[in-house]
Amino acid sequence: MTTNPTVLSLSRQLEAGATTSQTLVEASLAAIAAGGEEARKTFTAVHNAAARDAGQAQDLLRRAGQRPPSPLAGIPVSIKDLFDEAGRTTLAGSKALVGAPPAERDADAVARLRAAGAVVVGRTNMTEFAFSGVGINPHYGTPGNPTDPARIPGGSSSGAGVSVAAGYVPLALGTDTGGSVRIPAALCGVVGFKPTQRRVSLRGTVPLSWSLDSIGPLARTVECCAVADAVLAGEAEWVPPPVGLAGLRFAVPQAVVLEGLAEPVARAFDAACRRLSEAGARIVEIPMAELTDIGPANARGGLPAAEAIYWHRDLLDRKSDLYDPRVRVRIERGRTMTAADYIDVTQRRADMIARADRSTAEYDALLMPTVPITAPRFEEFAADSDFTRLNILLLRNCALFNFLDRCAISLPMQEAGSLPCGLMLVGATGADRRLLAVAGAVEPVVAPR
């Protein structure tokens, strides 16, 4: 799949009879096979036989005159290693789950993809139990960033981002608790959409934090993500309608999200804002001081640690030696939290959500860099202290808006000669389709040049 086509362009080719699902599946599997060690680190499992059978079935249905159930019909996709597939053990990037019973049924998100006709070609690598924004996995290896294999891909949906950016598949399914779809999308130069948390069913996924976990797609365009989101949410087929930039109101928060920007990111963000203004959008700066309160509210471990330890405590008691130590220590923080600590976080969160809703109600979206830095080199994570520092930085901007229960999308922005980075648009809670439509208008203006 070296030409990196989009979901909709492939769907149109299938509809016109210019290609077949079998052809697309074979191209995807051939690209993975040709990818060598990097592909092996991208995928924890490749479903060669099952994917070929599914592709053939989609072609037979088309030849029989059956209307495709969605634009995803016959399209190869990858799924993150924490989604259940019937008959397969879900490892979630860990050695601690090796030998666990296979899943009895597909995760709801996977079942909806299959019902829509998508062809699952394999499972993608990830940070163990999805607990970091870096993407490093000491158990199964870590794929290099397609732009520069010496650099991280971002996480936790590391393999998902690489599978799209490297051209193995046009669409990947990931999860996002604190940025795990948007971070690899930004660092790998693709689009990543995080829906409002309750939008897509989490049943059949290994949880990190049930208050924050969300399921979203990574792809090459906003339209691709919108088509996938409709399927995942169980809604009717939908492509964002054209939206004019003139008159749209964007706000750039001045608290937290612009601190410590690397020069290439700052330059790309400034250029993106300038282009949007020139195209007729109105961009204003707002304090949004409530963002400064989120860090202190989570100082004792926050929702991820408290909710993760609930799920992991028995497994940790039996198999703690099999965990990545950098993941284990973050989960173990939950043991020190009290019930009062947990209630305090949830109460403060509700107050901050209400405050943020009031301060941003008049804007079509918030604008900021997805990640304040470009992809660091693997060697920069050798020391635990550096891993912690960089992981916090990678997660920072994205995690703020998971805490505020917003929908968000990362679009590629990149100035000539620099590494990929992302422009994040943040929408109101539940305004997912509005955000996708607005992002569709922004996308061509800020596209890498």
Side-chain angles (χ1 to χ4, degrees), residues 58 68-75 110-119 227 231-232:
Q58 288 300 316
S70 85
L72 298 186
I75 303 293
V110 175
R112 285 176 175 173
L113 287 176
R114 293 197 205 276
V119 177
V227 167
V231 167
L232 294 168

Side-chain angles (χ1 to χ4, degrees), residues 170-183:
L171 178 70
L173 184 63
T175 62
D176 191 310
T177 305
S180 290
V181 161
R182 289 159 291 160
I183 295 167

Side-chain angles (χ1 to χ4, degrees), residues 2-275:
T2 55
T3 57
N4 296 327
T6 67
V7 168
L8 290 181
S9 69
L10 291 174
S11 181
R12 287 190 289 268
Q13 290 178 42
L14 286 166
E15 190 69 19
T19 190
T20 65
S21 181
Q22 284 182 285
T23 299
L24 299 181
V25 169
E26 290 297 342
S28 178
L29 295 176
I32 294 169
E37 181 66 10
E38 285 300 317
R40 186 198 65 76
K41 291 185 290 188
T42 301
F43 288 86
T44 58
V46 180
H47 304 339
N48 289 282
R52 289 187 171 105
D53 289 345
Q56 183 181 40
Q58 288 300 316
D59 289 337
L60 289 172
L61 290 171
R62 284 183 188 273
R63 287 200 290 270
Q66 181 166 318
R67 185 178 182 275
S70 85
L72 298 186
I75 303 293
V77 302
S78 69
I79 63 171
K80 191 175 180 177
D81 192 33
L82 51 58
F83 291 101
D84 283 352
E85 288 184 279
R88 302 181 188 273
T89 296
T90 305
L91 297 178
S94 180
K95 294 290 189 182
L97 293 180
V98 172
E104 295 183 359
R105 54 185 281 198
D106 286 346
D108 285 353
V110 175
R112 285 176 175 173
L113 287 176
R114 293 197 205 276
V119 177
V120 178
V121 299
R123 303 176 66 80
T124 51
N125 202 355
M126 56 181 285
T127 301
E128 184 182 43
F129 294 118
F131 214 163
S132 96
V134 178
I136 291 175
N137 187 305
H139 308 304
Y140 302 105
T142 307
N145 192 302
T147 304
D148 178 357
R151 297 178 182 274
I152 64 160
S156 66
S157 306
S158 52
V162 174
S163 71
V164 174
Y168 299 133
V169 292
L171 178 70
L173 184 63
T175 62
D176 191 310
T177 305
S180 290
V181 161
R182 289 159 291 160
I183 295 167
L187 300 189
C188 293
V190 298
V191 179
F193 176 59
K194 173 238 173 302
T196 301
Q197 195 269 342
R198 63 179 176 268
R199 182 167 173 77
V200 179
S201 169
L202 295 168
R203 198 212 63 81
T205 65
V206 175
L208 175 55
S209 169
W210 61 81
S211 296
L212 302 173
D213 292 343
S214 56
I215 294 172
L218 298 91
R220 294 209 162 266
T221 70
V222 173
E223 279 190 338
C224 297
C225 287
V227 167
D229 171 71
V231 167
L232 294 168
E235 297 180 350
E237 178 183 330
W238 183 78
V239 175
V243 172
L245 277 174
L248 291 183
R249 291 171 55 85
F250 296 110
V252 179
Q254 299 301 291
V256 183
V257 299
L258 301 182
E259 295 174 4
L261 298 185
E263 191 276 333
V265 177
R267 184 157 41 89
F269 182 64
D270 288 345
C273 290
R274 184 180 65 254
R275 292 176 201 159

